[in-house]
Amino acid sequence: ICECDLADKTKPGDRVQVTGVYTPFPETQGHFTTGIWPARLIATSVSLLEEMPKAPFVSDDVNNIENIAAREDAFELLSRSFAPS
């Protein structure tokens, strides 16, 4: 979501880099949420890109990601690393 002067900074089709805050917007039904929270990026900065930047990942990172994705317990491994108990 771009507001104020950020909305007019570029035109459709431009390649841009957007910095902002990733925010959930829970939809409520009465006093309860549905459990589905669509998220939006509230832009704080928009920069026009002249050319596409190179990917920030190095080959070791890509190999590690692929190795974890191939594991049968990938979900459990990631959930323990994000929220250890």
Side-chain angles (χ1 to χ4, degrees):
I1 299 174
C2 292
E3 298 176 324
C4 302
D5 62 327
L6 295 178
D8 297 326
K9 198 163 186 179
T10 61
K11 62 184 184 307
D14 286 345
R15 293 188 184 269
V16 297
Q17 179 178 8
V18 179
T19 305
V21 180
Y22 188 72
T23 308
F25 287 87
E27 296 177 1
T28 59
Q29 295 177 352
H31 295 290
F32 300 98
T33 64
T34 62
I36 300 171
W37 290 21
R40 309 284 190 285
L41 178 68
I42 309 298
T44 57
S45 171
V46 177
S47 303
L48 187 62
L49 295 177
E50 298 299 323
E51 60 183 58
M52 291 297 293
K54 296 190 181 199
F57 297 110
V58 294
S59 61
D60 289 341
D61 292 335
V62 173
N63 288 337
N64 289 335
I65 291 168
E66 289 173 348
N67 289 339
I68 291 173
R71 290 178 58 157
E72 296 248 346
D73 65 338
F75 179 77
E76 290 79 16
L77 176 70
L78 293 174
S79 64
R80 281 194 315 267
S81 68
F82 292 134
S85 57

